[in-house]
Amino acid sequence: MESERDFWWHEEMAAKDISNYCEPEQMDAEDPLFILYTSGSTGKPKGVLHTTGGYLLYTNLTFKWIFDYHDEDIHFCTADIGWITGHSYIVYGPLSAGATSLMFEGVPNYPDPGRFWDIVDKHQVNIIYTAPTVIRALMREGEKWVHKHDLSSLRLLGTVGEPINPEAWMWYHTHVGKEKLPIVDTWWQTETGGILITPLPGAMTLKPGSANRPFPGVVPGIVKEDGSPAETNEGGYLVIEKPWPGILRGMFGDIEGKRFKEVYFSRFPGRYFTGDGARIDKDGDFWLMGRIDDVLNVSGHRIGTAEVESALVSHEKVAEAAVVGYPHEIKGEGIYAFVVLQEGVPSDEALEESLKSHVRKQIGPIAKPDKIQFAQGLPKTRSGKIMRRILRKIAGGETEDLGDISTLADPSVVEELVRNRV
């Protein structure tokens, strides 16, 4: 042993300056808490800054009210802990409320597609919070995997990450919720820190595909290009009129706040610009239409890609679909659909025509896809979001520069899509 280098553990632990109580550091409410990067689904990931007091307060309150938390509940958020959903609703929200939070490392289809339902059964989970893309992937494998397990402990279901199409909502409701459990379809972003628009279970009438109402204290609005309010059921830009405790305070590397102001507050001055499209129905419920880039202008008609995707997924042979626009010399913008079929279903021209006529019948002639590309999978971030900007570049033939793909879960999917572009 060297006296200046080596020490006996038992002597160090018996030292007088060591006690069982470690005094916590007192922080100001606005002291930085963490910097977390966005998923990169719309561009280069942004380092978002959240602060100590407001973020913790907001995740605590939204967790307790939206998930109707009761003492002794077992809460299972299936997200990766490195994304904002994991930060807010695996760690900060549940733990600050004294809840039991179940953490999961892995994928939902290994060793088999019943993995999540096995966890619910084994650990008697009461609340499950997952992504629509996971639900659609498990739908593809069939409901037999759900029915193999006892899910009677569940009393609340949740979705997060992107708008859930009505078909996936109904599958979740019917097979996982046994047509009895409320589903909280939540809308929020890395930048918002916590959930902003959501049903409150038991207090609101649920509508498949709608995020329902703003959380108490949140003041959203839908505006047109010129900033004036949109009409009922008229799609527009989703903005937030007033601040809330969990709002981001800045961005990494943006010392003077120029990019922060430019990205979030310059488009509609005095309001937070979400970058999402939405509409409000006659009952006052919000319907998210996806990122504003996902609203197409086909021959002068505005069509939400989510609507076309939902029509495609309602076909019995389709498991997943992603729709983007591409330059069209007559229509201005054409509709390009990437379609993942149900397990074991072969693709051919007859099925392609069947899908086009199915969309035409469901929505109308203007929404019929111009091109359909059958694919084995879609490019998704590790948080489960479809990276539509990559699909837009593939559809438009800009395959040489696909941009930042560092957050893709499986980059090989992109190579297959580029190779089989139609």
Side-chain angles (χ1 to χ4, degrees):
M1 285 183 69
E2 291 185 21
S3 60
E4 296 300 314
R5 186 193 69 184
D6 303 325
F7 303 91
W8 286 108
W9 172 261
H10 67 278
E11 290 178 357
E12 290 300 307
M13 296 309 291
K16 290 181 179 178
D17 61 342
I18 290 189
S19 72
N20 288 331
Y21 176 70
C22 179
E23 187 175 344
E25 186 69 31
Q26 291 195 17
M27 308 294 287
D28 186 86
E30 288 301 301
D31 281 340
L33 180 61
F34 61 78
I35 292 168
L36 190 67
Y37 279 81
T38 59
S39 64
S41 58
T42 57
K44 190 175 172 62
K46 299 181 283 286
V48 166
L49 172 69
H50 282 295
T51 53
T52 305
Y55 173 81
L56 187 61
L57 167 69
Y58 199 66
T59 53
N60 176 276
L61 197 60
T62 49
F63 170 74
K64 288 194 292 191
W65 289 10
I66 294 165
F67 298 102
D68 188 30
Y69 172 70
H70 292 67
D71 286 347
E72 307 303 321
D73 274 353
I74 309 258
H75 172 75
F76 178 25
C77 171
T78 71
D80 186 314
I81 207 162
W83 298 105
I84 191 67
T85 303
H87 266 52
S88 298
Y89 299 110
I90 294 177
V91 183
Y92 288 93
L95 297 189
S96 67
T100 301
S101 186
L102 198 155
M103 290 188 284
F104 169 74
E105 177 70 29
V107 292
N109 57 357
Y110 182 85
D112 62 52
R115 185 72 193 274
F116 279 179
W117 320 125
D118 179 55
I119 289 171
V120 170
D121 189 349
K122 180 179 178 181
H123 296 285
Q124 293 295 286
V125 170
N126 307 113
I127 304 161
I128 186 168
Y129 190 38
T130 194
T133 187
V134 171
I135 296 167
R136 287 192 293 268
L138 297 178
M139 276 175 71
R140 187 183 181 195
E141 304 293 342
E143 51 272 10
K144 63 182 180 184
W145 296 103
V146 185
H147 298 157
K148 283 183 178 182
H149 300 90
D150 178 9
L151 307 184
S152 59
S153 61
L154 284 174
R155 62 174 187 80
L156 184 72
L157 313 177
T159 69
V160 58
E162 60 183 355
I164 183 168
N165 54 301
E167 293 73 26
W169 195 101
M170 287 307 299
W171 187 90
Y172 197 30
H173 176 65
T174 303
H175 299 292
V176 181
K178 313 302 180 194
E179 299 187 353
K180 296 176 183 175
L181 306 185
I183 296 175
V184 288
D185 172 8
T186 63
W187 177 84
W188 57 298
Q189 303 172 312
T190 304
E191 295 91 336
T192 70
I195 297 162
L196 294 190
I197 304 177
T198 176
L200 291 179
M204 296 179 184
T205 302
L206 304 178
K207 296 176 184 176
S210 169
N212 277 79
R213 304 291 175 93
F215 188 73
V218 175
V219 187
I222 312 292
V223 298
K224 301 178 190 177
E225 193 84 41
D226 62 2
S228 62
E231 303 295 325
T232 299
N233 277 320
E234 181 184 8
Y237 301 102
L238 176 62
V239 296
I240 311 296
E241 306 276 359
K242 294 183 179 179
W244 62 98
I247 189 172
L248 80 162
R249 302 302 201 268
M251 291 156 65
F252 180 68
D254 184 31
I255 306 299
E256 295 179 0
K258 287 181 181 176
R259 189 166 178 235
F260 175 58
K261 291 172 186 170
E262 180 189 326
V263 172
Y264 301 107
F265 299 100
S266 64
R267 182 74 183 269
F268 300 105
R271 305 170 191 171
Y272 170 83
F273 177 48
T274 67
D276 279 355
R279 64 180 174 86
I280 304 175
D281 67 17
K282 60 181 175 58
D283 301 321
D285 290 316
F286 283 74
W287 296 77
L288 277 299
M289 297 163 65
R291 303 299 291 175
I292 52 170
D293 293 343
D294 300 337
V295 178
L296 310 181
N297 191 333
V298 181
S299 300
H301 297 268
R302 290 175 69 79
I303 300 169
T305 55
E307 196 178 2
V308 184
E309 288 168 3
S310 192
L312 285 164
V313 173
S314 70
H315 191 282
E316 60 184 6
K317 293 184 178 179
V318 175
E320 255 193 308
V323 170
V324 296
Y326 72 98
H328 192 288
E329 55 187 40
I330 298 170
K331 299 179 181 179
E333 208 167 9
I335 300 175
Y336 193 118
F338 296 85
V339 173
V340 180
L341 298 173
Q342 297 283 5
E343 202 68 51
V345 175
S347 60
D348 53 34
E349 283 187 25
L351 179 55
E352 183 180 334
E353 288 307 313
S354 171
L355 291 177
K356 287 180 178 179
S357 61
H358 180 71
V359 173
R360 181 189 177 107
K361 186 178 176 184
Q362 292 276 314
I363 306 173
I366 196 70
K368 188 180 86 167
D370 298 281
K371 295 181 180 181
I372 292 180
Q373 178 176 340
F374 293 108
Q376 293 299 309
L378 300 173
K380 294 174 185 172
T381 65
R382 288 190 291 275
S383 61
K385 288 187 180 180
I386 296 169
M387 231 185 217
R388 294 168 199 277
R389 65 178 173 82
I390 290 178
L391 296 179
R392 275 192 289 275
K393 291 208 168 190
I394 293 171
E398 301 172 44
T399 55
E400 297 303 312
D401 177 27
L402 295 176
D404 189 326
I405 59 169
S406 59
T407 59
L408 270 183
D410 180 9
S412 67
V413 170
V414 176
E415 294 167 21
E416 188 247 339
L417 292 174
V418 170
R419 199 167 49 244
N420 297 321
R421 179 177 170 270
V422 295

